[in-house]
Amino acid sequence: MSKYLVMIFGNQADYDAMNGKASEGRPAWSQQDLQTMFKYMESINNDLAESGEFVDGQGLAEPSRSVVVTAGPNGAPVVSDGPYGETREVLAGYWVLDCASVERVTEIAKRVHECPLPAGTAPSDVVVRPIDEAPAVA
């Protein structure tokens, strides 16, 4: 078994659409749309818990509620709100999974990608990255 990080991406406009505010290419979601998505994701989580592959998973708050720490002109940390960019993608949610193979985790990622969405909504990318295990300390 190997551990994998399965990530789904979005941006502020995606969160706005889920909160009922449409924008170009992102129709507003209804309460039914949200419930359908939540139910679908819950079924994935339940199946992964049942199979023993689920380690952790969370949906993340919208980017407008983020805090960013960057280096200021003198290298000291500077704290700001953001990110704000409408096109800037951010991590929207993740799963840490313990799967037998990359083929298995890819099958799960495809299932995540097939989440029901309102008509006209493009699915978010789903990225799978192996988690490196720290070598044993001698």
Side-chain angles (χ1 to χ4, degrees), residues 19-36:
N19 287 313
K21 181 181 172 191
S23 61
E24 186 176 332
R26 290 176 178 84
W29 290 48
S30 68
Q31 284 298 340
Q32 181 61 44
D33 293 328
L34 281 172
Q35 291 306 313
T36 299

Side-chain angles (χ1 to χ4, degrees), residues 88-134:
R88 186 174 180 182
E89 286 198 332
V90 296
L91 185 62
Y94 70 90
W95 293 261
V96 175
L97 304 177
D98 198 358
C99 296
S101 67
V102 70
E103 291 80 16
R104 172 62 181 143
V105 75
T106 301
E107 177 183 308
I108 295 164
K110 287 179 184 177
R111 185 173 169 199
V112 169
H113 193 266
E114 293 170 345
C115 180
L117 303 170
T121 303
S124 298
D125 290 343
V126 180
V127 177
V128 176
R129 294 192 57 193
I131 296 175
D132 282 335
E133 298 291 329

Side-chain angles (χ1 to χ4, degrees), residues 53-64:
E53 295 167 305
F54 184 85
V55 176
D56 187 26
Q58 300 293 325
L60 302 176
E62 61 189 292
S64 65

Side-chain angles (χ1 to χ4, degrees), residues 40-53:
Y40 184 85
M41 291 301 184
E42 181 180 30
S43 74
I44 291 174
N45 291 342
N46 290 342
D47 290 348
L48 293 170
E50 189 175 306
S51 70
E53 295 167 305

Side-chain angles (χ1 to χ4, degrees), residues 6-27:
V6 177
M7 300 170 283
I8 189 162
F9 291 86
N11 59 39
Q12 186 61 49
D14 295 321
Y15 284 87
D16 290 344
M18 289 191 302
N19 287 313
K21 181 181 172 191
S23 61
E24 186 176 332
R26 290 176 178 84

